[in-house]
Amino acid sequence: MPEEGLSKIIELNEDLIENNERLAAKNKKDFSKYNIRSFDIVGAIGAGKTALLESISENISKKKRVLVINGDVATRIDADRIEKHGVKTIQINTGRECALNSYHISQVIKNHDLSNYDVVFIENVGNLICPSDFVLGTDKRIVVVSITEGEWVIEKHPMLFKMSNIAVINKIDLLDVLDVNINKMVNDAKEINPNLKIIKTSTITGENIQELVEILFSN
Ligand SMILES: Nc1nc2c(ncn2[C@@H]2O[C@H](COP(=O)(O)OP(=O)(O)O)[C@@H](O)[C@H]2O)c(=O)[nH]1
Ligand SMILES: [Mg+2]
């Protein structure tokens, strides 16, 4: 019967999410055991997650030992881009899965010596929907959107903004050529989550990258 089928799907989902949260709590403990500050970065394909990680890595790699874990469906393009900026990277290919989950991260923790790092960044698979269900065990979640996604992108994806700590609105160097109401984007983010720290950046001009780094490492 269709109802039975539906309830099975719901149970499976609840199980998946519960198991994920349990393992995420263990990941969090492992990170804190080694005094690691950890972040995961979510956002659509092309928002600028990797470009921001390149800029952040360039900014901090001389002062901090950084590990970047890159989730991607198939390639290690992002990891190779970031590694040029003096940090260690690990690529996880998720295949058919549309987001990283806490099991992926637990495997990295199991197989690498965390005592080599002060900071871990996790770039999630480009997707504004799937990562909402899967926490990874990091201290803070950063959601990245760009103004090229249109001024409605935040309003349309409230879940991701509710469960994030920092919102980056990227590609502000394009404000002159796009008809985008960035104030609406900021207000939507504030309305969805009044605790969000919101910052507008450009990885091309470097505008507010230093300020973003300060937000990441303030308490
Ligand atoms: N104009 C502009 N382009 C950017 C900016 N940040 C990233 N890009 C470009 O957007 C594209 C996607 O960036 P990428 O970092 O790969 O996005 P990701 O899929 O979120 O990791 C690349 O061509 C970047 O050069 C920005 O601040 N301004
Ligand atoms: Mg990327």
Side-chain angles (χ1 to χ4, degrees):
M1 293 206 354
E3 275 113 19
E4 252 178 44
L6 184 64
S7 78
K8 267 191 195 142
I9 290 171
I10 292 168
E11 271 172 34
L12 176 68
N13 271 340
E14 280 173 0
D15 257 15
L16 263 177
I17 290 168
E18 245 177 56
N19 284 338
N20 185 70
E21 281 175 3
R22 211 169 302 130
L23 205 46
K26 185 174 179 314
N27 292 344
K28 200 179 191 90
K29 248 192 200 163
D30 288 336
F31 284 138
S32 67
K33 192 164 84 191
Y34 289 95
N35 260 329
I36 288 175
R37 199 174 272 243
S38 57
F39 304 92
D40 68 295
I41 305 186
V42 297
I45 297 172
K49 298 179 296 299
T50 306
L52 283 160
L53 278 169
E54 288 183 85
S55 303
I56 294 166
S57 298
E58 192 65 39
N59 190 293
I60 66 171
S61 62
K62 292 201 175 66
K63 291 166 261 171
K64 295 186 194 292
R65 300 168 306 161
V66 180
L67 172 66
V68 180
I69 302 168
N70 281 98
D72 206 354
V73 172
T75 73
R76 62 164 287 125
I77 293 171
D78 289 356
D80 288 344
R81 281 169 61 192
I82 294 168
E83 206 153 72
K84 292 189 184 126
H85 301 274
V87 301
K88 164 86 180 154
T89 61
I90 294 169
Q91 183 74 55
I92 298 174
N93 288 136
T94 55
R96 284 164 179 238
E97 289 176 51
C98 56
L100 289 171
N101 58 53
S102 55
Y103 176 76
H104 294 121
I105 304 309
S106 72
Q107 289 304 297
V108 172
I109 293 173
K110 196 168 148 194
N111 294 307
H112 293 83
D113 184 0
L114 287 189
S115 68
N116 290 327
Y117 304 105
D118 307 308
V119 187
V120 170
F121 289 101
I122 303 169
E123 177 180 348
N124 217 316
V125 179
N127 193 309
L128 279 166
I129 301 154
C130 302
S132 300
D133 283 331
F134 296 101
V135 289
L136 302 177
T138 55
D139 296 323
K140 287 188 177 161
R141 176 165 272 188
I142 306 165
V143 56
V144 179
V145 291
S146 57
I147 62 165
T148 51
E149 290 161 58
E151 66 202 38
W152 305 275
V153 66
I154 296 176
E155 188 182 2
K156 282 182 180 173
H157 299 92
M159 265 313 283
L160 214 47
F161 288 82
K162 263 189 197 133
M163 62 189 306
S164 294
N165 308 93
I166 299 160
V168 179
I169 303 177
N170 191 34
K171 307 197 186 181
I172 56 170
D173 54 291
L174 299 176
L175 272 172
D176 289 345
V177 289
L178 291 174
D179 183 18
V180 173
N181 182 350
I182 196 167
N183 292 333
K184 170 183 164 43
M185 297 177 85
V186 171
N187 288 337
D188 286 347
K190 276 188 192 155
E191 213 165 277
I192 292 165
N193 181 353
N195 297 321
L196 260 181
K197 290 200 169 142
I198 303 165
I199 182 146
K200 301 176 252 181
T201 58
S202 166
T203 65
I204 302 291
T205 63
E207 192 172 351
N208 287 339
I209 297 296
Q210 179 63 37
E211 287 76 1
L212 172 60
V213 168
E214 278 160 27
I215 288 176
L216 297 181
F217 294 98
S218 68
N219 278 322

